[in-house]
Amino acid sequence: MDTKKWTQLWLEYHKAYDGDGAWSVAFEGFSDNQVVIANAIYEFRRGIEALTGEMVLESGRDDAGKCKVRTLTICNNQSVPAEGYHIEGSEKGILVEASEERGVLYGVFAILRQIACGRKSFEVKESAAPSNPLRMMNHWDNMDGSIERGYSGESFFFEKDQIIINDRTRDYARFMASVGINGVVINNVNVKAAASYLITDRYFDQLARLSEIFNDYGIRLYLSLNFASPIEIGGMDTCDPLDKEVKAWWEGKIKEVYERLPLLGGFLVKADSEGRPGPFTYGRTQADGANMLGDVIKAYGGIIIWRCFVYNCTQDWRDTKTDRARAGYDYFKDLDGAYHDNVILQIKNGPMDFQIREPVSPLLGGLKRTNQMLEVQIAQEYTGHQIDLCYLIPLFKEVLDFHTHCCEGKDTVADVVSGRTMGNTLGGMAAVINTGNDINWTGDDLAAANTYGFGRLSYNTDLSAEEIAREWITMTFKLSKKEEDLLCSMLLRSREIYEKYTSPLGIGWMVTPNDHYGPSVDGYEYSRWGTYHRADHLGIGVDRTDKGTGYAQQYYPENAKLYNDPDSCPEELLLFFHHVPYTRMLKSGKTLIQHIYDSHFEGEEEARGLARDWESLKDSIPSETFDRVKERFDLQLNNAREWRDQVNSYFFRKSGIADEKGRTIY
Ligand code: GCW
């Protein structure tokens, strides 16, 4: 395989130390006839040889006389939780204990990670079990090869309406398994054109192959489903979920699908959203739609993941009562408890749409008797298109750590989606992924920190954003401690910097319509999407209090109270919840307008700082990578400057209030 065609991301495995021996592999209760185990050994061989120079001996060969032979012992221990592992190094070798195959695979990747991060083989030690049952990547890949909101080239799953399977497919599965991902949806939630035919004979053979490659790395294949399939591919005139013939059509279809794709995990469904068909068309509820599919797929052990991104996208900006932020809760809360056991509701982290700062969706934890999954986006749609540096793990941590107050204790979002709150077994985290067929997979090499980070965080929500960043850096690059510290601090600063030069204090949007990169303060202000900042000559912000749209009241009382009052509302969300005058005094002692000016000047300056920091790493980063990233920083600086000037000029002209520091505003 020509590995030059694409990078190995964090599985590059730079030399960690010079080993003094070789390895043999022993089994207790497992065997390398099990294909996931065989892959685990393949990974161990590949990793340990690159990290230490120590070879793994072919079984049966006894080279013990020539050098020290350590043993990797793979042991079945039923007391280890599912998908968990216990690894422990000693002078004799390393023990990996797990109760099933995936645990072994994850254990082996953990060994390699620890060695890459500085431990000797005898020092390796960890007991781990996944925080979340489901840890998924959602691809928004279209079958023509394009990717909706993709910033890293074209799809590596599809081209010209065909499914691609090549060496890259396996590498992808390896990367995902190495960070604990156990489910992948390969096609866009907007299921159109050829994608509607993924559940037909046209694609079964290729999908079956793909599902096997995934399965061999412990990953389940999932598909996005077109809710209108009975009409579009079944020739019916309705897809009413309560229509008997529609249900019968689905029964036949799903039976056929599982005969051909026995490894399929289930379906992800975007219904009644942004023009996609759904149960509302027939006067049915979201639960009617999700449960019908859930019931049909149940016999095959499949699940239905139903998205909650349902809102009115044909609003009138003059209507100040309709509030898009309310929509998810309004449509789904009343049906809590009505969803069947194998249905999961997938909820975006915020009530709007993956902005750089939003409150946590009140639906998370608002639902108390429904399986829930958190959806985040590592594709940087609103966070810089993988041009601007934006390490998103701190944002995801804030969401996971958020206390919903849905119950006493066990009330964080992490508790809710992991199943700890309700004691349920279906739930987890999904990310809209940021990959494509670019040589480095993620367009910006540094954006791979988000790919890596999401996987690690979904497996272990207790890890800190910094720990994850450090691991990723150490595994990806070969840097001195000081350089690692610098790159780590760049990642950790990046989200706040991006936030500073873009839209202020939680209001969001202000982006160029459609493409969503670059500033356009009024770009979404008078449009149909429900995305308003409501700036006039006196002030800015959306009144979502009990006197406004009432959105704040969707939270449990503790949070509702906090958000309802501008004095207690966390300041970074002030404009999301309140319409306030430009002259309002903030906690910093600055007026709101001065805060807007200052943060935009600072953000632009700090972005320049990031670019300078990258420049200082020039001699230690492979030149191709260095140049690729440098180009991105050049573009980021233009972007930051444009944001700064457009936002500041807009508010200067609206308010007529000058910058106290007399800087250039147009
Ligand atoms: O806001 C929108 C994005 C769409 C996306 C949608 C969704 C896949 O701009 O590109 O469609 O979110 O999450 O369904």
Side-chain angles (χ1 to χ4, degrees):
M1 188 179 72
D2 178 7
T3 48
K4 275 278 170 268
K5 279 190 279 182
W6 53 83
T7 67
Q8 288 293 307
L9 294 172
W10 52 88
L11 299 186
E12 205 69 63
Y13 295 128
H14 306 284
K15 186 60 136 334
Y17 63 87
D18 284 316
D20 59 0
W23 288 84
S24 66
V25 183
F27 300 98
E28 287 169 29
F30 284 116
S31 105
D32 55 358
N33 293 331
Q34 294 164 286
V35 62
V36 176
I37 302 284
N39 274 337
I41 294 164
Y42 166 83
E43 295 300 332
F44 182 73
R45 178 189 302 275
R46 193 169 164 160
I48 202 80
E49 287 183 10
L51 288 165
T52 67
E54 294 178 337
M55 311 293 280
V56 179
L57 304 174
E58 295 298 329
S59 64
R61 219 174 103 188
D62 183 13
D63 286 13
K66 296 185 200 141
C67 63
K68 180 171 173 60
V69 178
R70 295 181 176 85
T71 307
L72 178 75
T73 306
I74 297 178
C75 176
N76 190 326
N77 178 345
Q78 288 301 307
S79 69
V80 177
E83 298 184 85
Y85 54 85
H86 172 73
I87 54 174
E88 190 157 350
S90 68
E91 277 307 325
K92 290 190 196 131
I94 306 174
L95 172 69
V96 186
E97 289 180 305
S99 54
E100 36 96 58
E101 295 174 59
R102 276 169 306 178
V104 173
L105 185 64
Y106 297 152
V108 163
F109 278 120
I111 292 171
L112 299 171
R113 182 164 58 236
Q114 292 198 1
I115 295 179
C117 292
R119 295 198 188 178
K120 301 284 188 297
S121 69
F122 61 85
E123 293 168 329
V124 159
K125 193 170 171 144
E126 189 185 3
S127 291
S131 310
N132 290 295
L134 288 167
R135 309 172 299 278
M136 300 186 63
M137 291 296 190
N138 291 182
H139 287 259
W140 285 357
D141 293 24
N142 300 314
M143 293 201 67
D144 62 3
S146 62
I147 301 178
E148 185 155 346
R149 313 304 175 188
Y151 312 104
S152 321
E154 301 273 285
S155 173
F156 46 78
F157 288 131
F158 305 114
E159 188 182 32
K160 296 188 186 135
D161 292 347
Q162 295 302 319
I163 294 171
I164 310 170
I165 296 179
N166 56 26
D167 288 344
R168 200 162 179 153
T169 320
R170 186 176 190 210
D171 270 350
Y172 169 79
R174 297 176 53 236
F175 299 143
M176 293 303 113
S178 74
V179 290
I181 294 296
N182 65 359
V184 171
V185 185
I186 56 170
N187 64 309
N188 189 355
V189 287
N190 291 323
V191 187
K192 297 178 191 163
S196 297
Y197 290 84
L198 280 168
I199 52 171
T200 69
D201 191 45
R202 202 192 283 181
Y203 295 111
F204 285 146
D205 286 343
Q206 288 290 80
L207 286 175
R209 279 182 62 201
L210 191 58
S211 69
E212 281 159 21
I213 295 171
F214 281 3
N215 189 61
D216 294 350
Y217 273 91
I219 298 164
R220 285 262 164 217
L221 172 73
Y222 291 78
L223 295 173
S224 292
L225 196 65
N226 185 342
F227 190 78
S229 297
I231 300 174
E232 289 195 27
I233 63 172
M236 301 180 71
D237 58 8
T238 175
C239 60
D240 178 351
L242 298 193
D243 181 306
K244 285 202 174 65
E245 282 172 39
V246 168
K247 185 162 186 210
W249 184 87
W250 277 115
E251 279 164 352
K253 179 46 78 185
I254 301 289
K255 180 167 184 283
E256 181 193 355
V257 167
Y258 270 90
E259 272 162 15
R260 302 292 298 276
L261 304 174
L263 295 172
L264 189 75
F267 296 106
L268 174 63
V269 190
K270 170 177 180 175
D272 287 313
S273 170
E274 302 187 326
R276 302 312 297 152
F280 283 164
T281 314
Y282 305 97
R284 311 302 185 193
T285 66
Q286 297 297 300
D288 290 334
N291 289 341
M292 183 273 293
L293 289 171
D295 293 349
V296 173
I297 207 172
K298 194 171 180 133
Y300 310 94
I303 60 171
I304 296 297
I305 305 172
W306 190 267
R307 293 178 89 227
C308 296
F309 188 54
V310 180
Y311 68 99
N312 174 0
C313 65
T314 56
Q315 267 185 244
D316 183 326
W317 63 273
R318 284 156 291 214
D319 166 11
T320 53
K321 287 284 162 272
T322 309
D323 180 3
R324 171 169 166 180
R326 292 187 56 118
Y329 190 95
D330 283 344
Y331 286 130
F332 288 90
K333 167 69 182 169
D334 285 350
L335 295 167
D336 189 14
Y339 295 88
H340 294 175
D341 287 353
N342 64 333
V343 172
I344 306 178
L345 296 191
Q346 183 162 301
I347 305 164
K348 288 191 182 186
N349 63 275
M352 296 298 272
D353 194 8
F354 301 136
Q355 302 302 295
I356 189 67
R357 178 78 64 178
E358 285 185 49
V360 170
S361 168
L363 201 51
L364 288 159
L367 299 169
K368 285 181 151 177
R369 291 175 295 145
T370 301
N371 297 322
Q372 293 162 66
M373 179 120 129
L374 170 66
E375 179 180 314
V376 298
Q377 192 188 41
I378 53 178
Q380 289 174 242
E381 175 178 358
Y382 293 99
T383 53
H385 285 204
Q386 287 146 241
I387 294 170
D388 301 33
L389 184 64
C390 196
Y391 177 56
L392 290 161
I393 307 304
L395 190 164
F396 304 161
K397 285 292 288 183
E398 283 168 15
V399 173
L400 288 167
D401 293 345
F402 178 75
H403 286 282
T404 66
H405 294 285
C406 64
C407 59
E408 283 276 315
K410 294 189 186 163
D411 73 330
T412 65
V413 170
D415 292 327
V416 170
V417 299
S418 66
R420 285 191 296 272
T421 305
M422 295 182 287
N424 56 329
T425 51
L426 274 187
M429 292 169 66
V432 179
I433 196 172
N434 57 357
T435 52
N437 70 0
D438 276 357
I439 184 169
N440 62 358
W441 301 84
T442 53
D444 182 357
D445 294 74
L446 301 184
N450 288 327
T451 328
Y452 179 89
F454 172 78
R456 291 286 289 136
L457 185 64
S458 66
Y459 189 91
N460 181 357
T461 50
D462 289 336
L463 290 172
S464 73
E466 177 170 349
E467 282 171 300
I468 293 173
R470 284 195 182 277
E471 279 182 13
W472 174 77
I473 292 167
T474 315
M475 296 195 66
T476 305
F477 299 107
K478 225 179 154 28
L479 299 174
S480 68
K481 173 78 173 67
K482 205 169 143 219
E483 291 165 331
E484 275 185 18
D485 288 348
L486 182 66
L487 186 49
C488 184
S489 107
M490 289 170 65
L491 290 176
L492 292 174
R493 279 177 282 150
S494 61
R495 183 251 185 143
E496 205 180 318
I497 294 174
Y498 186 83
E499 181 179 26
K500 278 186 177 178
Y501 63 74
T502 57
S503 68
L505 302 181
I507 194 73
W509 309 95
M510 302 190 176
V511 288
T512 312
N514 306 321
D515 142 281
H516 302 165
Y517 187 74
S520 174
V521 178
D522 279 340
Y524 275 108
E525 192 57 17
Y526 304 102
S527 69
R528 64 188 176 91
W529 298 97
T531 47
Y532 314 116
H533 57 63
R534 307 273 182 217
D536 57 23
H537 68 293
L538 295 174
I540 175 178
V542 182
D543 184 352
R544 292 191 162 105
T545 67
D546 52 356
K547 294 184 191 63
T549 73
Y551 165 80
Q553 275 52 56
Q554 292 185 333
Y555 292 89
Y556 289 100
E558 294 84 343
N559 287 329
K561 195 161 161 263
L562 186 82
Y563 291 138
N564 206 55
D565 179 349
D567 291 329
S568 61
C569 180
E571 215 152 59
E572 66 275 10
L573 288 169
L574 185 63
L575 303 181
F576 189 95
F577 284 99
H578 301 276
H579 185 89
V580 296
Y582 297 118
T583 50
R584 181 186 166 85
M585 214 38 106
L586 301 185
K587 290 179 191 120
S588 56
K590 292 177 188 180
T591 59
L592 170 62
I593 189 77
Q594 194 57 39
H595 169 85
I596 293 177
Y597 297 148
D598 286 353
S599 58
H600 283 77
F601 281 110
E602 280 165 28
E604 191 272 345
E605 209 173 296
E606 289 168 17
R608 274 188 282 136
L610 290 176
R612 270 197 309 274
D613 288 344
W614 183 251
E615 198 63 53
S616 77
L617 296 172
K618 184 168 184 166
D619 296 336
S620 306
I621 302 275
S623 65
E624 271 174 42
T625 311
F626 179 83
D627 293 343
R628 254 192 321 254
V629 175
K630 183 182 156 39
E631 253 172 51
R632 306 226 162 212
F633 275 123
D634 291 344
L635 295 170
Q636 178 173 2
L637 296 193
N638 287 336
N639 193 37
R641 205 172 310 127
E642 204 183 328
W643 270 99
R644 176 196 67 190
D645 291 341
Q646 288 221 23
V647 171
N648 283 346
S649 304
Y650 179 98
F651 288 104
F652 173 55
R653 291 172 191 177
K654 267 250 144 107
S655 70
I657 303 173
D659 170 33
E660 279 170 3
K661 297 182 188 154
R663 291 162 292 197
T664 306
I665 295 178
Y666 300 94

